[in-house]
Amino acid sequence: MLIALICTDKKGGLDTRKANRDAHLAYIAETGVVAMAGPLLDEAGEMAGSLVILDVADASAAQSWADNDPYAKAGLFSDVRIQPWKKVIG
């Protein structure tokens, strides 16, 4: 099941994001369930959130992945939306 995580950083979160980026990328690599991912950008082109597409069994697995993401553990996000997603193009 493909699930999109749409995460918005807290205001002023860029330093937190940068400080935890290596751990976040290592988590992506070690879990092996990320189909695609990348940062959302603000008007200035700076990282301000995340879009992560997970390939997991169900929404519960997506929630568990999101809860254990180093960004989430660092308190980076003001909100996280977990939404089933259907790939149509690409």
Side-chain angles (χ1 to χ4, degrees):
M1 166 180 232
L2 295 175
I3 296 186
L5 302 180
I6 305 161
C7 311
T8 305
D9 292 1
K10 291 179 180 173
K11 291 201 184 297
L14 187 57
D15 288 339
T16 301
R17 175 175 280 276
K18 288 179 177 178
N20 290 278
R21 186 168 172 78
D22 288 343
H24 168 73
L25 294 174
Y27 180 65
I28 287 174
E30 74 188 31
T31 58
V33 297
V34 176
M36 63 180 76
L40 299 173
L41 306 177
D42 64 15
E43 299 79 23
E46 293 289 347
M47 295 178 289
S50 296
L51 173 62
V52 180
I53 306 297
L54 300 175
D55 189 351
V56 292
D58 53 32
S60 176
Q63 183 68 61
S64 178
W65 191 95
D67 291 344
N68 288 292
D69 179 356
Y71 280 165
K73 288 183 173 187
L76 175 61
F77 302 128
S78 62
D79 64 85
V80 176
R81 182 172 151 204
I82 297 176
Q83 180 74 45
W85 182 71
K86 180 179 179 182
K87 181 179 178 180
V88 175
I89 298 173

